[in-house]
Amino acid sequence: MIDARNYSVSGVLTDGTPVTVRAIRPDDRPSILQSFAGLDRESVYTRFFTYKKQLTSNELTHITDVDFDRVVALVATTAAEHGEKLLGGGRYAVCEDAPPFQTAELAFTTDNAYRGRGLAPLLLRHLTDIGRARGLMQFTAEVLAQNGAMLSVFRRSGLPYEFQVECDVVHVKLALVPVS
């Protein structure tokens, strides 16, 4: 079983940027706030389905304090002058109403400056590995139809997928079939 709470691996983005993909920690709160402040208005909307200028204390706690059982949250960082810079994050939350805890909902956020560099696909691969090890059968996601970049990540993931469009939202299902 993969120890998601202490997960930490090195990786490289498509442009050669070295990154660490690791479990989120409560002490990431300042980095999360700084990253959120740097998101453009549309990025906030595509992630939260609403416009907001800041995260509430409760939202920040929800983001950084996860149980790594039902919710697994990873961040990608790179070395910076004073420690590390948070580039983005991905998470899944197990759907309690799905047959016994075999489905989880995905969400991602990427720093504007690191979009298109392979960050979300990298995080998705690690979340997939953890989810498979824990017996998950599928991921789901709600994606705004205008968020072509995220839909492309899912299409190119190598996982069997289904998209169902309802108004302006695409309901995504990704099958976590074992790698043969």
Side-chain angles (χ1 to χ4, degrees):
M1 178 81 87
I2 297 173
D3 179 10
R5 182 179 308 279
N6 296 302
Y7 196 80
S8 181
V9 296
S10 297
V12 179
L13 299 182
T14 57
D15 67 354
T17 302
V19 297
T20 298
V21 175
R22 64 166 175 78
I24 200 165
R25 304 182 303 242
D27 67 347
D28 286 323
R29 289 171 73 101
S31 296
I32 297 292
L33 286 173
Q34 182 178 13
S35 292
F36 183 85
L39 292 175
D40 61 48
R41 184 172 151 85
E42 288 307 306
S43 297
V44 171
Y45 187 76
T46 58
R47 170 58 180 90
F48 294 97
F49 287 39
T50 188
Y51 294 108
K52 56 172 53 209
K53 292 185 179 188
Q54 60 188 15
L55 294 170
T56 67
S57 179
N58 285 343
E59 288 170 326
L60 192 54
T61 297
H62 175 77
I63 290 168
T64 59
D65 295 345
V66 299
D67 65 11
F68 290 98
D69 182 28
R70 299 269 193 256
V71 177
V72 172
L74 302 177
V75 293
T77 65
T78 194
E81 188 175 332
H82 300 288
E84 62 182 8
K85 175 177 174 43
L86 185 80
L87 309 181
R91 66 177 41 228
Y92 73 68
V94 173
C95 303
E96 310 232 349
D97 58 342
F101 312 114
Q102 294 180 336
T103 298
E105 185 173 7
L106 286 170
F108 296 90
T109 306
T110 301
D111 183 295
N112 293 344
Y114 289 87
R115 290 217 174 93
R117 297 184 186 191
L119 185 59
L122 178 66
L123 289 165
L124 177 57
R125 283 192 300 276
H126 289 284
L127 290 169
T128 297
D129 291 345
I130 294 168
R132 281 181 176 148
R134 291 170 176 232
L136 292 177
M137 299 303 290
Q138 77 175 351
F139 284 142
T140 63
E142 306 293 310
V143 182
L144 290 171
Q146 70 196 46
N147 192 350
M150 195 72 245
L151 293 171
S152 180
V153 167
F154 293 141
R155 277 191 198 99
R156 292 193 261 164
S157 69
L159 299 171
Y161 65 87
E162 292 177 27
F163 289 177
Q164 182 179 20
V165 180
E166 185 177 323
C167 296
D168 292 339
V169 176
V170 179
H171 304 279
V172 178
K173 289 183 182 179
L174 300 170
L176 299 183
V177 294
V179 177
S180 36

